[in-house]
Amino acid sequence: MTTGNAAEYRVALMTWYSYLNYGTALQVTALSRTLRSLGCAVDIVRYTPRTSGAVRPKPPSVDWLVCKTAAKVGRIISYATSSDIDGGKEDLFKQFLDNHLSFTAPCGVAADLERLNDCYDAFVCGSDQVWSPACYDPHYFLDFVADDKLKVAYAPSVGLSKVEDQDIARQMVRLCGRIDALSTREESGSKIVSDLTGREVATVIDPTLLVEGSEWRRMGCAQGAVPLEPYLLAYMLGVNENHWKRIYSLGKRLGLPVRLIPVFRKDLGRVGCITESIGPAEYVALIANASYVCTDSFHGVAFSVNLNRDFCVFERFKRDDSGSQNSRVYNILEKMGLEDRLATEDVAEELLARSVDWTDPNARLVAERDRSLAWLESALKTKTSPLEQKFNVQCHRSLCCGCGACSVECPADAIKVQLDEEGFWRASVDEETCVSCGKCRKACPLIEHGDAAAVEDGQLYSFKSSDEKQLLLSSSGGAGAAIAKMAAADSAGALGCAYQDGRGAVSRFVEPGDDAGLAVLAGSKYAQAEPGDALARAASHDGPLYIFGTPCQIQAARNLMAGRSDVTYVDFVCHGVPTRHLLDRYADWLNSELGMDPAKMHVNFRYKPRGWRERYIYTTDGAVESCNHQRRDPYFLLFEAGQCYGSCCYECPWRAASAADVRMADYWGPKFAKDNSGVSMVLAMTKRGREVAARLREAGTVAEQSFADYAMYQQTENNLAPVFRDVLIVDLANPRTGIKVVCDEFAEPVAARSDFYKRLDPLKRMAKRMLGRK
């Protein structure tokens, strides 16, 4: 199905759906179906969750490495992929979801998610373990939803008995506080959220239990994988062999052959393994037709109850395990009065073999279903206070990259770009002056970026300047300087970024013929540029232009200058821009350590005389100087740790796309490992970009390369914003907090882990040789 429901009340449902997991697919189907039964037009938010090292880093240790390695090897050895089991599982999942769900347009980053505010009346998050600290993603707390939109949490699961990470707990307080109606799936989860927020939190049943068993039987009518004879069905997500012994013993006692849904590679060799493709419909059919079900899965229990199948459930986790998710199972058994179906070691087999009297559990389920449906229906009627907003870049939007394009385009001079409290340049709209024309939105790169092309469509080249003096001044191979010389040769104006002593990175427009001005645009600036009036001057320039900048700045410039054919756009691989507070604390440190004058401080962030691959940062005020290796410099360490970037840097739409003609980067990887003076990557994205690459042959060595090098050595996916980012930025904003203290707490563990991995590189190479891998 595709988006296009015309019902009056439109709801966007934010939950997991993309995993090849039966419970995931069935819960999203059930909640969507239930919302539609309440008169809503429902679309699933087409977003794939991201997980990364977003929690507070810890120094590496041998124990940490052993556990990490063991877990990784265990996953490789144990878990079976769909292709291991059958080739059709993925197709069955897709077919099932397409038959039962409607989706929004793809939402890769927060800017796409925020756009949904323009299309939907209400947003619902849940169910599944979307609130689990182990896979924390703030988007599942509806962080992208505007204040004046209804926000409802239906049955998300925290999964654990407590939230041990205090950074995540603090974020949950803030995020849950924005949600209008709160519920979770387990009593333990409701207590956690209630304790954190001080609010009443309802406990409701899993969405799959909102749909009656008869309806599930109709949806699970697929019979291809269902045995014809009576059978005991086993579906086990754990790896406890004692549980399997009890399953086969129970099957023997009941006189039922065991049929199992495989999860691990080892399951493929067990007696009774089902080899036919099993999708969500087949999963339901297998449970519906089973004489008995053995499981350690929450949804295995839920469907056994809903379909009135005799069952027993095993504890997948040890009770003293801090990561135990057993509370979900305990909760549903208690609600249904089926605690005696828990197959602990002390429960006799003959007790588990007894049939269930479903009279009381069914009555309890009906009561829970009615209560949960009533809660959901009431939540959807919760009144929100509509905000009186004008149609500008701040309407239903939170992200800003500080490019200044909106300010340039505003006909009422209602937008100023200023440093915010976090230390980032950010647009601020005077709502009284705003005329609500919407021109600023068309210029904003975070709203309008549909013309950016996928980087894989570009042609990759290597470039190395033949000008040794210029090569020494450049960050890598001198591509940027060579392209700047093209601008001079074309009598073009140029927009770029320069470092201004005592002020930091500043956007600058260079008039045609100003070679000295072009020269100061060279080199990397690991800081956000103060926009000033440079972009406005470039936009009003009558004549050819070369524009250099971060991907968001280039998109902004292209939005402003749409239709012009005399502009060459050049961006570069950008990992993110750090808070201005970082540079201020760095200046304080150099002042206290060396007596350097912050008002005269000049920074060369990539000091090539000391090396290219081994990077150095050089700073001077004209009287004293400092030159530190990247591993010893607090600015570099905090920058490279990626913990204090702007919010939009973690939601960048251009990691794997570009609105430029040419993208530049350092040419990392083994191909130029012996080169000590620098090589540039040049990715030609357009016909004009390929013309630029051809002209580079006049300035140095150009060679066509495989795009695989770009995909291997450049960042193409966003990382999640660290959950402790707010604490880190507050620390950096405080002049009394030394940068070394902040660096040692947050960035040093990341650098130490990187060092640890580097020391293991010889062992990794040796292991690959032993395994016969390249």
Side-chain angles (χ1 to χ4, degrees):
M1 292 184 184
T2 58
T3 304
N5 291 312
E8 187 175 2
Y9 199 67
R10 301 199 68 193
V11 173
L13 174 55
M14 185 70 174
T15 188
W16 291 343
Y17 72 89
S18 59
Y19 302 121
L20 297 184
N21 177 283
Y22 302 112
T24 296
L26 295 167
Q27 65 84 19
V28 66
T29 300
L31 188 49
S32 175
R33 190 181 187 90
T34 300
L35 288 167
R36 289 200 302 272
S37 73
L38 296 176
C40 302
V42 185
D43 290 329
I44 312 304
V45 179
R46 195 184 289 274
Y47 169 77
T48 301
R50 293 179 285 135
T51 56
S52 70
V55 297
R56 198 172 294 235
K58 296 179 180 179
S61 65
V62 174
D63 289 343
W64 167 81
L65 177 65
V66 170
C67 291
K68 184 179 177 69
T69 303
K72 186 173 183 178
V73 171
R75 286 193 297 270
I76 293 172
I77 293 175
S78 298
Y79 280 98
T81 64
S82 58
S83 60
D84 289 324
I85 300 169
D86 62 76
K89 180 178 179 181
E90 187 170 349
D91 291 338
L92 290 174
F93 267 80
K94 184 179 185 305
Q95 178 182 338
F96 183 85
L97 296 179
D98 286 345
N99 286 341
H100 294 285
L101 303 177
S102 175
F103 292 89
T104 69
C107 296
V109 292
D112 302 328
L113 292 167
E114 288 188 337
R115 191 175 290 114
L116 299 178
N117 286 290
D118 301 330
C119 308
Y120 294 90
D121 303 297
F123 294 79
V124 177
C125 63
S127 169
D128 223 322
Q129 296 187 67
V130 294
W131 283 8
S132 170
C135 41
Y136 172 79
D137 185 335
H139 296 331
Y140 288 97
F141 291 82
L142 304 180
D143 68 333
F144 59 91
V145 180
D147 290 338
D148 61 344
K149 295 291 183 177
L150 178 63
K151 295 171 282 293
V152 176
Y154 183 84
S157 175
V158 177
L160 305 176
S161 58
K162 61 180 178 179
V163 180
E164 295 185 335
D165 190 303
Q166 293 307 302
D167 292 314
I168 293 179
R170 186 180 64 258
Q171 297 300 333
M172 288 179 66
V173 171
R174 176 179 63 86
L175 295 167
C176 291
R178 298 183 67 248
I179 296 176
D180 300 292
L182 282 169
S183 72
T184 78
R185 195 174 64 185
E186 293 93 33
E187 296 289 351
S188 57
S190 294
K191 183 178 187 308
I192 288 171
V193 177
S194 181
D195 289 346
L196 288 173
T197 63
R199 294 174 55 187
E200 181 179 347
V201 181
T203 303
V204 293
I205 59 175
D206 185 78
T208 61
L209 296 172
L210 294 176
V211 178
E212 294 185 4
S214 58
E215 283 296 301
W216 282 121
R217 288 182 183 276
R218 279 193 286 273
M219 285 190 281
C221 62
Q223 298 292 325
V226 178
L228 297 177
E229 76 283 1
Y231 59 92
L232 180 154
L233 180 69
Y235 178 57
M236 302 293 289
L237 301 178
V239 292
N240 191 318
E241 288 300 319
N242 287 330
H243 292 169
W244 280 107
K245 290 179 181 178
R246 296 190 74 187
I247 289 170
Y248 283 107
S249 177
L250 192 57
K252 186 175 182 180
R253 174 182 288 273
L254 293 169
L256 296 171
V258 173
R259 298 291 180 260
L260 65 97
I261 300 173
V263 175
F264 303 97
R265 287 194 176 97
K266 192 170 184 178
D267 294 342
L268 302 178
R270 297 187 192 278
V271 175
C273 179
I274 299 171
T275 58
E276 291 85 354
S277 300
I278 303 172
E282 289 73 21
Y283 175 86
V284 173
L286 282 165
I287 294 178
N289 290 280
S291 300
Y292 195 98
V293 177
C294 290
T295 188
D296 59 2
S297 154
F298 169 83
H299 281 105
V301 175
F303 275 93
S304 296
V305 171
N306 209 354
L307 296 167
N308 285 188
R309 298 293 87 194
D310 289 339
F311 75 99
C312 70
V313 56
F314 296 89
E315 294 175 303
R316 195 189 335 164
F317 303 90
K318 294 181 179 179
R319 296 203 174 194
D320 58 354
D321 186 346
S322 61
S324 172
Q325 299 173 15
N326 291 338
S327 61
R328 303 181 299 154
V329 169
Y330 301 152
N331 185 76
I332 189 174
L333 293 178
E334 182 180 356
K335 276 183 179 295
M336 298 299 118
L338 294 169
E339 296 95 325
D340 60 347
R341 309 313 294 184
L342 186 63
T344 55
E345 293 181 359
D346 57 341
V347 175
E349 189 176 281
E350 57 266 25
L351 296 178
L352 297 177
R354 291 186 304 180
S355 295
V356 177
D357 180 352
W358 288 104
T359 305
D360 180 57
N362 284 341
R364 292 187 182 215
L365 177 56
V366 169
E368 288 290 338
R369 181 181 292 143
D370 291 345
R371 183 181 61 81
S372 297
L373 282 170
W375 183 91
L376 180 57
E377 188 170 16
S378 175
L380 291 170
K381 296 177 181 177
T382 302
K383 299 295 183 182
T384 56
S385 301
L387 299 177
E388 292 187 9
Q389 281 188 306
K390 292 187 177 179
F391 191 60
N392 55 47
V393 289
Q394 290 184 169
C395 180
H396 292 161
R397 299 295 186 274
S398 65
L399 298 178
C400 177
C401 63
C403 66
C406 56
S407 178
V408 173
E409 194 73 347
C410 179
D413 196 28
I415 304 176
K416 305 297 181 187
V417 182
Q418 303 167 319
L419 277 175
D420 64 13
E421 62 181 10
E422 287 194 340
F424 295 96
W425 294 101
R426 185 181 183 87
S428 176
V429 181
D430 182 345
E431 297 289 343
E432 295 296 324
T433 307
C434 175
V435 296
S436 199
C437 65
K439 290 183 177 180
C440 56
R441 293 172 67 91
K442 293 180 180 179
C444 177
L446 291 169
I447 295 177
E448 299 293 339
H449 53 263
D451 59 351
V455 291
E456 62 191 34
D457 294 334
Q459 175 58 58
L460 188 68
Y461 302 89
S462 60
F463 172 78
K464 187 176 183 67
S465 175
S466 57
D467 185 338
E468 293 186 4
K469 183 178 178 181
Q470 183 60 63
L471 194 60
L472 192 62
L473 296 173
S474 301
S475 297
S476 54
I483 296 174
K485 287 183 179 180
M486 293 181 200
D490 294 346
S491 298
L495 175 65
C497 177
Y499 190 91
Q500 186 167 325
D501 296 357
R503 189 172 169 187
V506 178
S507 294
R508 176 172 294 186
F509 177 69
V510 180
E511 296 284 354
D514 184 359
D515 292 346
L518 274 176
V520 299
L521 301 183
S524 299
K525 295 95 185 171
Y526 293 114
Q528 187 185 25
E530 178 183 344
D533 65 350
L535 181 58
R537 290 179 62 194
S540 63
H541 177 72
D542 185 16
L545 282 169
Y546 278 69
I547 299 180
F548 302 83
T550 60
C552 53
Q553 290 173 326
I554 294 303
Q555 182 71 70
R558 190 178 279 279
N559 289 349
L560 274 178
M561 302 176 201
R564 288 186 60 168
S565 60
D566 58 352
V567 184
T568 300
Y569 301 96
V570 183
D571 72 6
F572 50 83
V573 170
C574 171
H575 299 290
V577 292
T579 169
R580 169 68 194 219
H581 299 319
L582 177 59
L583 188 61
D584 291 341
R585 298 294 78 77
Y586 189 59
D588 293 343
W589 178 66
L590 290 171
N591 176 260
S592 64
E593 292 289 314
L594 303 173
M596 190 175 294
D597 184 353
K600 298 179 181 179
M601 186 178 80
H602 180 85
V603 183
N604 183 337
F605 292 97
R606 294 285 296 278
Y607 189 61
K608 286 280 283 295
R610 296 290 295 274
W612 171 45
R613 290 181 176 274
E614 293 294 320
R615 288 169 282 184
Y616 289 81
I617 181 169
Y618 174 85
T619 315
T620 183
D621 63 356
V624 296
E625 61 182 7
S626 167
C627 188
N628 295 317
H629 184 271
Q630 62 188 65
R631 185 60 182 84
R632 297 288 177 260
D633 188 86
Y635 190 101
F636 239 120
L637 286 169
L638 281 160
F639 173 82
E640 291 196 325
Q643 301 163 336
C644 58
Y645 295 160
S647 296
C648 59
C649 299
Y650 303 101
E651 300 287 348
C652 178
W654 303 280
R655 294 286 176 219
S658 174
D661 296 302
V662 173
R663 172 165 288 184
M664 302 184 300
D666 291 78
Y667 209 122
W668 302 127
K671 189 165 291 183
F672 299 102
K674 295 181 180 180
D675 191 299
N676 295 317
S677 56
V679 180
S680 295
M681 264 189 182
V682 177
L683 188 65
M685 296 297 303
T686 64
K687 179 181 178 182
R688 185 186 293 269
R690 291 189 291 275
E691 291 170 354
V692 169
R695 292 178 67 182
L696 282 174
R697 299 181 188 278
E698 302 169 10
T701 304
V702 178
E704 193 169 315
Q705 304 289 347
S706 167
F707 176 77
D709 284 358
Y710 185 97
M712 180 71 70
Y713 301 109
Q714 302 298 342
Q715 183 181 353
T716 56
E717 294 182 356
N718 284 313
N719 293 322
L720 282 176
V723 292
F724 54 86
R725 176 182 173 274
D726 55 336
V727 175
L728 172 56
I729 288 182
V730 167
D731 284 348
L732 287 172
N734 185 354
R736 294 187 297 273
T737 305
I739 191 173
K740 286 287 290 180
V741 173
V742 179
C743 182
D744 289 346
E745 180 178 357
F746 295 101
E748 178 58 35
V750 177
R753 186 170 294 182
S754 178
D755 291 344
F756 192 77
Y757 276 129
K758 286 180 181 178
R759 290 196 296 271
L760 292 176
D761 280 346
L763 292 176
K764 290 168 64 178
R765 288 194 293 269
M766 182 175 68
K768 286 183 178 181
R769 286 196 299 270
M770 292 174 64
L771 293 171
R773 296 170 57 189
K774 295 183 180 180

